[in-house]
Amino acid sequence: MSVNILVVDDEKPIADLVEVYLKNENFQVYKFYNGTEALASLKENQYDLAILDVMLPDVDGFTICQKIRENYFFPIIMLTAKVEDMDKITGLTLGADDYITKPFNPLELAARVKTQLRRYKKYNNGQNTLEDGNIKEYDFSGLYINIETHKCMLYGKQLSLTPIEFSILWYLCQHRGKVVSSEELFEKVWGEKFLDSNNTVMTHVARLREKMHEPSRKPKFVKTVWGVGYTIE
């Protein structure tokens, strides 16, 4: 079964280079040089992952990301020529799963694509990663989450979580009552080494709380233990 990847970048040499490397990995690539055509293609093709440039001539990558997240949950990787943390945080807040700064190594991008696809398939196929192989769901205080169905309910209403958001909540539920550091959460969920300046966890937790309608100062579920990490009591 082919893996379909959406690539949107108005810099033709970069888009073409990305296409070459992804095709070398046997991925099917749908390439666009503007956001309007890319958005229109969502109705025509079924994608497994999107790579979006932030700066586009018509519709910027942030807007495309936001539009995709209204109906789809496949991974999104943002390409940005800017190094400011705010750009990265903006993308992650809107539902992106990862970002990479230009100029980049195409091999690194291909590796990140494969990492995101593995994570996406893992959680959507309902694979149980628990060591004891028994616990498949948690149900407490109005929160229900099931690893097999990838379903999360809060007070009877289903939450539309991205694979990253789901895995953060699932990992915290697995360790309910314990404080999980940002470093541990990042390395377990993203599968990469944590850097001190990394705001990725904080941004995704904020987005998760927003979807759960949690007040930032006094959340009921995902709580911050300042200077330590996060916990679900």
Side-chain angles (χ1 to χ4, degrees):
M1 184 175 179
S2 64
V3 174
N4 299 328
I5 298 181
L6 171 65
V7 175
V8 189
D9 197 315
D10 65 323
E11 295 183 70
K12 190 176 185 298
I14 292 180
D16 294 348
L17 182 64
V18 170
E19 180 184 31
V20 169
Y21 276 82
L22 292 180
K23 283 189 172 181
N24 285 341
E25 299 291 341
N26 296 317
F27 296 139
Q28 179 68 42
V29 178
Y30 294 81
K31 180 179 58 177
F32 298 92
Y33 303 121
N34 64 74
T36 303
E37 293 181 359
L39 285 171
S41 76
L42 291 171
K43 299 178 181 179
E44 302 172 357
N45 304 305
Q46 184 174 350
Y47 295 119
D48 298 288
L49 183 142
I51 299 173
L52 310 176
D53 184 24
V54 171
M55 303 299 293
L56 293 168
D58 51 353
V59 184
D60 65 76
F62 293 144
T63 300
I64 298 174
C65 176
Q66 195 169 22
K67 291 290 185 182
I68 289 175
R69 280 291 171 255
E70 290 177 359
N71 298 294
Y72 306 97
F73 303 107
F74 54 76
I76 298 174
I77 298 176
M78 304 297 295
L79 299 181
T80 174
K82 299 181 180 180
V83 297
E84 289 85 353
D85 284 342
M86 188 52 65
D87 272 345
K88 299 170 185 177
I89 291 173
T90 299
L92 295 173
T93 301
L94 293 175
D97 298 279
D98 198 2
Y99 60 83
I100 189 166
T101 304
K102 296 179 180 179
F104 56 85
N105 185 329
L107 291 175
E108 179 186 356
L109 177 61
R112 292 201 187 190
V113 166
K114 288 187 282 187
T115 297
Q116 291 296 332
L117 287 171
R118 282 196 301 269
R119 184 181 296 120
Y120 179 62
K121 291 178 180 179
K122 170 182 174 182
Y123 286 105
N124 280 278
N125 289 338
Q127 294 181 14
N128 194 329
T129 59
L130 294 176
E131 292 183 0
D132 58 17
N134 293 321
I135 298 176
K136 299 176 181 179
E137 63 183 21
Y138 293 94
D139 190 354
F140 60 91
S141 304
L143 176 66
Y144 172 82
I145 185 168
N146 187 302
I147 191 68
E148 284 196 322
T149 61
H150 197 261
K151 180 181 289 187
C152 183
M153 310 279 291
L154 185 61
Y155 304 126
K157 294 184 178 181
Q158 186 164 348
L159 300 178
S160 298
L161 304 181
T162 66
I164 289 288
E165 292 162 354
F166 183 93
S167 56
I168 288 174
L169 187 57
W170 177 257
Y171 191 81
L172 291 175
C173 286
Q174 281 183 293
H175 299 81
R176 185 183 174 194
K178 299 179 180 179
V179 179
V180 179
S181 68
S182 295
E183 179 178 357
E184 178 183 348
L185 196 56
F186 183 85
E187 293 184 354
K188 293 295 183 181
V189 172
W190 276 264
E192 300 175 11
K193 186 172 179 57
F194 179 82
L195 300 176
D196 290 338
S197 60
N198 198 326
N199 293 316
T200 304
V201 173
M202 178 184 67
T203 304
H204 277 85
V205 168
R207 179 64 174 164
L208 176 60
R209 284 175 175 157
E210 181 182 336
K211 290 187 175 182
M212 297 175 73
H213 303 289
E214 290 251 80
S216 58
R217 294 190 176 183
K218 291 185 179 180
K220 178 179 179 181
F221 291 99
V222 182
K223 299 182 178 181
T224 300
V225 180
W226 296 109
V228 183
Y230 301 95
T231 185
I232 288 184
E233 297 178 349

